[in-house]
Amino acid sequence: MPKGVEIRDGKIRLSFMRDGIRCREVLPLAPTPANLRHAERLRREIVDKIRLGSFRYAEYFPDSP
């Protein structure tokens, strides 16, 4: 399993750090091999944007509190 990507309750959950806080978001995707690869790419994109200071949480997870 790729770092920061896990299967939880039959869905895919991403985990990443932002401002020293562990963030976890569930993707509404079945844990198929293709969806796990998508989740890995998405997490990598998020981590890169966090590093560059251009990550906007609501753009990726608009329904997250």
Side-chain angles (χ1 to χ4, degrees):
M1 191 72 50
K3 180 180 178 180
V5 176
E6 48 193 33
I7 298 171
R8 179 92 175 164
D9 298 327
K11 295 183 180 160
I12 300 172
R13 183 167 73 173
L14 297 182
S15 177
F16 53 92
M17 296 292 290
R18 180 176 180 235
D19 299 327
I21 298 170
R22 167 84 44 211
C23 300
R24 291 186 177 99
E25 292 290 340
V26 175
L27 302 177
L29 302 172
T32 65
N35 287 341
L36 289 169
R37 286 190 302 274
H38 168 73
E40 180 181 14
R41 286 189 302 270
L42 180 62
R43 182 186 179 276
R44 191 170 40 241
E45 179 180 316
I46 289 168
V47 169
D48 286 345
K49 284 191 172 196
I50 290 170
R51 185 176 47 80
L52 296 170
S54 62
F55 177 67
R56 303 291 174 256
Y57 213 98
E59 290 177 16
Y60 287 85
F61 307 108
D63 298 328
S64 182

